[in-house]
Amino acid sequence: MTVAQGCAIPQQKTPVDILDAPLPDLLAELDVELVDSSITDAGFFGALVERRDGTRVLSMPVGRSPFERDTAARMLLAEGLGLDAPPVPAPLAVSRV
């Protein structure tokens, strides 16, 4: 999973919001566009990117279970927001590039 270096996502969400809000509502509130990724590597779970124009994109691989996709999306959003959320479980890792 990847969070683009310098993502300036507003810190208006709490971990409870990140975990409880329906994902489509959460993405709409944060103004994050969800797109399908063409990356097929089994170790890639998604990427949160802030473009130069300030728009944000959450790129997620296709073919994953709804639970896996939802969980990875929330972990990436929490990391991008800089929330004091539980760490990503091993063997997963979130990196900034």
Side-chain angles (χ1 to χ4, degrees):
M1 290 187 281
T2 306
V3 175
Q5 187 77 355
C7 271
I9 298 173
Q11 296 195 16
Q12 62 204 37
K13 292 303 212 176
T14 66
V16 173
D17 296 323
I18 291 290
L19 298 176
D20 290 340
L23 187 58
D25 295 348
L26 185 60
L27 293 170
E29 185 172 333
L30 296 172
D31 197 25
V32 175
E33 177 186 3
L34 179 63
V35 299
D36 290 336
S37 173
S38 61
I39 299 173
T40 58
D41 184 310
F44 176 74
F45 289 86
L48 178 63
V49 177
E50 183 171 332
R51 296 178 178 145
R52 290 180 187 196
D53 66 3
T55 59
R56 294 176 293 252
V57 175
L58 181 60
S59 177
M60 305 290 295
V62 295
R64 304 290 173 91
S65 73
F67 175 78
E68 187 175 310
R69 190 171 167 106
D70 184 88
T71 302
R74 292 172 192 278
M75 286 189 290
L76 287 165
L77 290 169
E79 178 68 23
L81 288 165
L83 297 175
D84 184 23
V88 176
L92 299 177
V94 175
S95 58
R96 291 187 176 267
V97 293

